[in-house]
């Protein structure tokens, strides 16, 4: 069986990365993590990669706060190509991608977001859902474009909002759903990779 070569990008904790690497390790997910890359030097996601013996790298982002400097983004394309990555998996990557990446990996970059998009893009989406008085929220996996938490939705998982929920309890429940949904979506890409190619 061919294993889908993925690259994971993240800026923070790496709980989704961990869930994906666990599924790969247990043989449930026919993928191979070729590299984990972070724009934050001491991001825990890089330690997660090391724990699973996955190649990992820090990518200096340059002078901007919400995007990569064009040279950095071109370097990111090189790193992913040199690693033989076919699917780019964003897992808490806090920068918007632009032409170098979007052109190099057209419809092969996906992201997970903790709301039922198109509702509540942006930061702390679970707090936004609570404040809006929603009864249900959830998480979404979508193709990445050059806008924040935007792009065609691939799959969603609903999470009920309970009467006693605090931002913390709701966030924790959404994260459980994320850790199931993301590997399941990557498994669908992997099935396509076995047959038709991405
Ligand atoms: C996740 O909640 C994801 O939805 C959002 O960023 C968070 C990353 O968390 N895009 P982690 O680094 O995977 O723990």
């Amino acid at each position: 069986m061919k294993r889908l070569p993925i690259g994971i990008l993240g800026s923070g904790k790496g709980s989704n990365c961990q869930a994906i690497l666990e599924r790969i390790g247990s043989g449930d997910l026919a993928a191979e993590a070729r590299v984990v890359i972070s724009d934050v030097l001491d991001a825990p996601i890089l330690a997660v990669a090391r724990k699973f013996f996955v190649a990992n790298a820090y990518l200096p982002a340059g002078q901007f706060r919400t995007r990569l400097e064009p040279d950095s983004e071109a370097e990111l394309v090189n790193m992913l190509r040199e690693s033989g990555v076919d699917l780019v998996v964003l897992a808490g990557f806090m920068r918007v991608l632009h032409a170098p990446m979007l052109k190099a990996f057209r419809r092969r970059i996906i992201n997970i977001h903790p709301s039922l998009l198109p509702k509540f893009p942006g930061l702390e989406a679970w707090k936004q859902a609570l404040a809006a008085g929603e009864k249900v929220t959830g998480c979404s996996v979508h193709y990445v474009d050059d806008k924040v938490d935007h792009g065609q939705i691939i799959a969603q998982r609903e999470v009920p909002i309970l009467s006693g929920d605090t931002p913390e309890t709701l966030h924790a429940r959404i994260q459980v759903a994320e850790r199931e949904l993301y590997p399941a979506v990557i498994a669908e890409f992997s099935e396509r990779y076995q047959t038709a190619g991405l």
Side-chain angles (χ1 to χ4, degrees):
M1 188 193 277
K2 288 198 296 178
R3 281 141 56 91
L4 172 65
I6 66 172
I8 302 175
L9 310 188
S11 309
K13 197 152 60 88
S15 66
N16 281 284
C17 177
Q18 162 122 4
I20 293 162
L21 297 181
E22 279 172 0
R23 294 293 176 89
I24 292 173
S26 65
D28 292 343
L29 178 55
E32 184 185 348
R34 291 283 176 90
V35 66
V36 172
I37 299 171
S38 181
D39 59 324
V40 177
L41 180 61
D42 57 355
I45 192 170
L46 293 175
V48 170
R50 286 193 286 272
K51 192 168 77 181
F52 286 83
F53 304 103
V54 173
N56 56 92
Y58 161 59
L59 174 78
Q63 59 174 321
F64 304 120
R65 201 173 53 82
T66 58
R67 58 177 293 178
L68 297 168
E69 226 170 86
D71 283 355
S72 299
E73 193 158 340
E75 175 59 18
L76 178 59
V77 171
N78 285 339
M79 289 163 88
L80 292 165
R81 282 201 171 133
E82 278 167 13
S83 304
V85 165
D86 272 340
L87 180 71
V88 180
V89 174
L90 305 194
F93 188 65
M94 299 303 284
R95 291 174 191 269
V96 180
L97 294 175
H98 292 277
M101 278 294 292
L102 298 176
K103 274 172 89 176
F105 294 95
R106 210 181 98 72
R107 279 180 80 78
R108 288 188 291 131
I109 310 175
I110 59 176
N111 181 44
I112 189 157
H113 180 73
S115 77
L116 296 176
L117 291 170
K119 282 186 174 175
F120 314 123
L123 294 176
E124 300 190 319
W126 59 95
K127 281 192 188 166
Q128 299 184 50
L130 261 185
E134 298 284 325
K135 296 275 177 284
V136 175
T137 184
C139 51
S140 307
V141 177
H142 63 94
Y143 286 105
V144 168
D145 64 14
D146 63 356
K147 300 184 187 66
V148 174
D149 304 323
H150 191 265
Q152 188 189 334
I153 292 165
I154 300 167
Q156 295 183 309
R157 182 76 49 99
E158 289 189 353
V159 173
I161 299 183
L162 309 178
S163 56
D165 262 336
T166 63
E168 291 72 29
T169 58
L170 178 58
H171 186 206
R173 232 169 28 259
I174 294 172
Q175 286 189 313
V176 171
E178 286 191 334
R179 289 170 208 145
E180 290 170 8
L181 181 66
Y182 220 2
V185 169
I186 296 167
E188 283 171 24
F189 275 87
S190 172
E191 274 169 34
R192 214 179 310 157
Y193 179 73
Q194 311 294 327
T195 51
L198 292 188

